[in-house]
Amino acid sequence: MVGQSRATQRYVPTIRADEDALTKAIVSLAQEYGRYGYRRVTAVLKHQGWAVGKDRVQRIWRREGLKVPQKQPKRGRLWLNDGSCIRLRPTHPQHIRVGRCVRGPEVIETLSDAMLIHGIPEHIRSDNGPEMTSKRVRNWLQQIGVQTLFIEPGSPWENGYNESFNGKLRDECLNAEIFYSLKEAQIIIEQWRRHYNTKRPHSSLGYRPPAPETQSIQLNQIQQPTTMQ
C-alpha cells in the first residue's frame, strides 16, 4: 500500500522503564546462584515482587551473555586438610548429617529421631552403603518391625528422590566449596539445606520451595514460649 518492500521495514523495540533495574536484578541473581538457569531466576524474581515472564528474562539473559557453567567432574570424597574425609548421609527428606564417619549407632540414633516425628515406616529404601547394611542397623530395624529395601548395585534410579537430592547438593554446594574444617563443612552445608527447603524454587512444585520461609517463621513463633512479665 505504501510502496515499500518488507525488507526495508524494521521493528523498533520499546524499552521499558524498568529494563535497567530488571537487568541488574537478573545479573545479580546469576552471580549469587551460579547454577540457576533463567527459569529458576524468573521464579526468584517473581518471589521478589517482579511482574515478569520467563520469555523476557530469557531475552535479557541471552543479551547479557549469561550461561550456566558446565557441571564440574566429581572430586570423589571430600577430604579435609588433616587427611580425613567427610561423610554425608541424608537421614530423611531434605535433611543431611555431616561427619567424619557415620557408623551404625549414629544411623540408629538419627533414624530414631526421624521416626519420633514421622512415625515408624513399613520399609526403608537405601543404597548398599556399609552404614546401612551393618548387622547392628538391620537387627534394630527387624526388632521394631521395619523391612529394608536395598536398591540393586549400580541402579540409582531405584532411589530417585534421594539420588536427585544428592545430585543437587553436589552440583550447587559441594563442587563450589572447599572445606578446611569439619565445622566449616557443617555450617555451609546446613546453610545450603535451609536455602534448599525454604527459598530454592523447585521445578516439580511449580517453582516453589517445599517449605516456604514464611511458614517456618510462623511455626517458630508459635513454638517459642512466652516470657512472664
Side-chain angles (χ1 to χ4, degrees), residues 2 8 37 61 123 132 141 190 193:
V2 295
T8 63
W61 185 274
H123 304 85
M132 297 300 298
L141 292 174
E190 174 61 18
R193 186 194 67 83

Coordinates of all heavy atoms in Angstrom, one line a residue, residues 2 8 37 61 123 132 141 190 193:
V2 N 2.0 1.2 0.7 CA 2.8 2.4 0.8 C 4.0 2.3 -0.2 O 4.8 3.2 -0.3 CB 3.4 2.6 2.2 CG1 2.3 2.9 3.2 CG2 4.2 1.4 2.6
T8 N 12.7 -3.4 3.9 CA 13.1 -2.1 4.4 C 12.5 -1.7 5.7 O 12.8 -0.7 6.3 CB 12.8 -1.0 3.4 OG1 11.4 -1.0 3.2 CG2 13.5 -1.3 2.1
G37 N 19.4 -21.5 36.1 CA 19.1 -21.0 34.8 C 18.0 -19.9 34.8 O 17.6 -19.5 35.9
W61 N 18.6 -12.5 29.5 CA 19.7 -13.5 29.9 C 20.6 -13.7 28.7 O 21.8 -13.7 28.9 CB 19.0 -14.8 30.3 CG 19.8 -15.9 30.8 CD1 20.5 -16.8 30.0 CD2 20.1 -16.2 32.1 NE1 21.2 -17.7 30.8 CE2 21.0 -17.3 32.1 CE3 19.7 -15.7 33.4 CZ2 21.4 -17.9 33.3 CZ3 20.2 -16.2 34.5 CH2 21.0 -17.4 34.5
H123 N 8.8 -49.8 55.4 CA 10.1 -50.1 54.7 C 11.0 -48.9 54.8 O 10.5 -47.8 54.9 CB 9.8 -50.5 53.3 CG 8.8 -51.6 53.1 ND1 7.5 -51.4 53.0 CD2 9.0 -53.0 53.0 CE1 6.9 -52.6 52.9 NE2 7.8 -53.6 52.8
M132 N 24.4 -48.6 56.3 CA 23.0 -49.1 56.3 C 22.9 -50.6 56.3 O 21.8 -51.1 56.6 CB 22.3 -48.5 55.0 CG 22.2 -47.0 55.0 SD 21.3 -46.3 56.4 CE 19.7 -47.0 56.1
L141 N 16.3 -52.6 63.0 CA 15.2 -52.4 62.2 C 14.2 -53.6 62.3 O 13.0 -53.5 62.3 CB 15.6 -52.2 60.7 CG 16.3 -50.9 60.4 CD1 16.8 -50.8 59.0 CD2 15.4 -49.7 60.7
E190 N 24.7 -26.9 56.1 CA 23.4 -26.6 56.7 C 22.8 -25.3 56.2 O 21.5 -25.2 56.0 CB 23.6 -26.4 58.2 CG 22.4 -25.9 59.0 CD 21.3 -26.9 59.0 OE1 21.5 -28.1 58.6 OE2 20.1 -26.5 59.3
R193 N 21.2 -26.4 53.0 CA 20.0 -27.2 53.2 C 18.8 -26.3 53.5 O 17.7 -26.5 53.1 CB 20.2 -28.1 54.4 CG 19.1 -29.1 54.6 CD 19.2 -29.8 55.9 NE 19.0 -28.9 57.0 CZ 17.9 -28.5 57.5 NH1 16.7 -29.0 57.0 NH2 17.8 -27.7 58.5

